[in-house]
């Protein structure tokens, strides 16, 4: 459908924001986009998360939640809700388009009782992975067809901008840079924090900087734990894992698992605690995100994998059944896409070593 004038003007501004996405990283990009979305759509509350491109598990939220003390419950119910789940969305959608009985536990147990009228959701996904999702909440009116068409039209440019912002998080790690953990948080089945190792708070504060005087909000830990609950409940089969950039080229991996006797219930109703571990992302997992974020082709990704294993050009050519000339052509393309000029710099950025 043709966008109304106000929506079309906003779309043009969003495109300009996306074109300038290099300044300030993914956080600044999302703040600027949210300012534009909220000005047009009048959304009072929101959650704009980055995601692991493979597992689609959320991390690094930019959010305004009016009932912050209930954040663990909100995230748990978000992951247990099938309706308009970002992992299955193919375009923008609004809960008002579904019958009330089909809107799921997040709506029934939390949003509707708090006066939310409608939620618009959009996922930012391309052929390289899922890079984020956005929920916009309204209290006064429902989202209309023009609003959803607008979100559909900006989803592609925003996806590319988010992926480029993630690609910028791979500088070579400084010599002697500190390396974390592993760190552990212990969560109750309802995701309340029961304990954590001493250094965990500092890393959580780096992922979601708290307001002055407030304790860090472990939103990333809540998300991986909530994905564990969703997996146990049969809502989504994805692993409870997320890779997230912290700072200065350091990528972390968060994982969630039940604690205790594996012979216990093990289902969605299990009362066993949940351990969330935080550790530096392995070189292989870091390489995977690096290739996806830079938009490398399957052959370019394969080539870089061989280089990471220490192969030279002759060995790469033999392993890939290519001529030496074709290997060099692929390598030149990788250099161009990653803004590197030699193999040493390329591998330092890709592997973080």
């Amino acid at each position: 459908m043709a966008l109304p004038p106000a929506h079309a003007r906003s779309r043009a501004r969003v495109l300009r924001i996306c074109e300038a996405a290099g300044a300030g990283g993914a956080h600044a990009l999302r703040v600027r986009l949210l300012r534009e979305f909220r000005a047009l759509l009048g959304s009072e509350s929101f959650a704009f998360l980055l995601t692991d491109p493979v597992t689609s598990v959320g991390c690094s939220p930019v959010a305004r939640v009016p009932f912050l003390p209930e954040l663990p419950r909100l995230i748990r119910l978000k992951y247990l809700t099938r309706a308009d789940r970002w992992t299955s969305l193919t375009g923008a959608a609004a809960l008002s388009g579904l019958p009330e009985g089909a809107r799921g536990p997040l709506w029934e147990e939390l949003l509707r009782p708090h006066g939310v009228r409608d939620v618009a959701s959009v996922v930012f996904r391309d052929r390289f992975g899922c890079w984020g999702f956005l929920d916009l909440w309204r209290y006064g009116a429902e989202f209309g067809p023009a609003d959803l068409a607008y979100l559909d039209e900006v989803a592609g440019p925003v996806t590319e901008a988010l992926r480029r912002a993630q690609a910028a998080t791979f500088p070579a790690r400084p010599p002697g840079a500190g390396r974390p953990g592993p760190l552990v948080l212990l969560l109750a089945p309802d995701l309340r924090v029961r304990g954590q190792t001493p250094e965990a708070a500092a890393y959580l504060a780096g992922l979601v900087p708290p307001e002055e005087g407030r304790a860090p909000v472990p939103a990333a830990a809540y998300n991986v734990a909530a994905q564990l609950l969703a997996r146990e409940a049969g809502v989504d089969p994805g692993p409870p894992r997320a890779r997230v950039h912290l700072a200065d080229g350091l990528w972390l991996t968060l994982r969630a698992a039940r604690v205790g006797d594996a012979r216990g219930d093990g289902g969605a109703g299990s009362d066993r605690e949940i351990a969330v571990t935080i550790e530096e992302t392995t070189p292989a997992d870091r390489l995977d995100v690096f290739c996806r974020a830079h938009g490398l082709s399957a052959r370019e990704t394969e080539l870089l994998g061989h280089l990471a294993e220490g192969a030279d050009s002759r060995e790469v050519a033999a392993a890939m059944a290519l001529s030496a000339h074709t290997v060099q052509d692929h390598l030149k393309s990788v250099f161009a896409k990653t803004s590197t000029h030699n193999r040493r710099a390329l591998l330092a950025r890709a592997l973080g070593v």
Side-chain angles (χ1 to χ4, degrees):
M1 64 178 291
L3 295 178
H7 291 68
R9 289 193 295 270
S10 178
R11 177 185 177 278
R13 289 191 292 269
V14 167
L15 294 181
R16 290 196 292 271
I17 292 170
C18 291
E19 289 169 359
H27 184 275
L29 169 65
R30 286 178 288 159
V31 168
R32 290 194 293 270
L33 289 169
L34 281 166
R35 190 178 299 123
E36 183 62 38
F37 294 155
R38 296 180 63 220
L40 176 72
L41 302 175
S43 175
E44 294 91 340
S45 301
F46 54 84
F48 196 165
L49 282 79
L50 302 178
T51 53
D52 182 295
V54 174
T55 68
S56 301
V57 175
C59 52
S60 297
V62 175
R64 175 175 296 174
V65 179
F67 30 89
L68 190 59
E70 295 192 74
L71 183 63
R73 185 180 175 211
L74 184 152
I75 293 175
R76 177 174 60 84
L77 292 174
K78 170 71 176 174
Y79 277 75
L80 291 174
T81 294
R82 288 183 169 88
D84 291 345
R85 202 176 197 272
W86 69 102
T87 49
S88 58
L89 279 181
T90 56
L95 278 185
S96 58
L98 298 172
E100 285 216 9
R103 296 181 186 181
L106 178 59
W107 170 259
E108 298 292 344
E109 298 180 31
L110 191 60
L111 298 186
R112 184 172 63 172
H114 279 84
V116 175
R117 179 71 179 276
D118 200 3
V119 181
S121 300
V122 60
V123 65
F124 303 107
R125 183 189 295 114
D126 62 14
R127 63 191 179 93
F128 301 106
C130 180
W131 302 99
F133 67 87
L134 169 66
D135 286 344
L136 298 168
W137 303 346
R138 271 186 180 171
Y139 294 84
E142 296 178 351
F143 291 93
D147 300 327
L148 299 182
Y150 161 84
L151 290 172
D152 269 339
E153 289 203 14
V154 301
V158 171
T159 300
E160 184 178 351
L162 288 173
R163 182 166 58 78
R164 290 203 317 270
Q166 292 293 69
T169 63
F170 288 93
R173 295 279 286 139
R179 300 186 181 276
L183 315 171
V184 180
L185 277 83
L186 193 63
L187 304 181
D190 63 2
L191 305 191
R192 288 177 295 109
V193 177
R194 285 189 172 166
Q196 59 188 27
T197 51
E199 290 184 314
Y203 283 92
L204 291 168
L207 291 174
V208 184
E211 296 180 9
E212 187 173 353
R214 290 181 178 268
V217 177
Y222 292 154
N223 274 263
V224 292
Q227 177 60 28
L228 175 65
L229 299 180
R231 183 184 176 101
E232 291 175 344
V235 173
D236 183 82
R241 182 191 70 162
R243 295 165 292 184
V244 55
H245 176 248
L246 181 65
D248 301 324
L250 174 61
W251 276 76
L252 303 176
T253 297
L254 290 84
R255 292 182 175 86
R258 291 284 185 179
V259 175
D261 188 353
R263 293 172 299 175
D265 175 4
S270 173
D271 59 359
R272 287 181 290 138
E273 294 175 323
I274 299 170
V276 176
T277 59
I278 308 171
E279 55 192 334
E280 184 172 7
T281 300
T282 65
D285 274 341
R286 179 186 169 105
L287 178 65
D288 174 67
V289 181
F290 179 89
C291 293
R292 292 173 182 274
H294 287 90
L296 300 191
S297 69
R299 292 297 258 173
E300 291 165 349
T301 297
E302 182 183 357
L303 180 149
L304 188 48
H306 289 304
L307 294 180
E309 293 171 354
D312 59 25
S313 293
R314 180 181 57 80
E315 292 167 332
V316 171
M320 297 181 66
L322 298 174
S323 69
H325 179 75
T326 302
V327 167
Q328 289 305 310
D329 285 343
H330 283 315
L331 190 55
K332 288 177 183 177
S333 177
V334 172
F335 287 154
K337 290 181 179 179
T338 59
S339 300
T340 53
H341 303 287
N342 58 66
R343 299 185 191 195
R344 178 177 295 179
L346 172 64
L347 292 176
R349 289 188 57 210
L351 302 177
V353 294

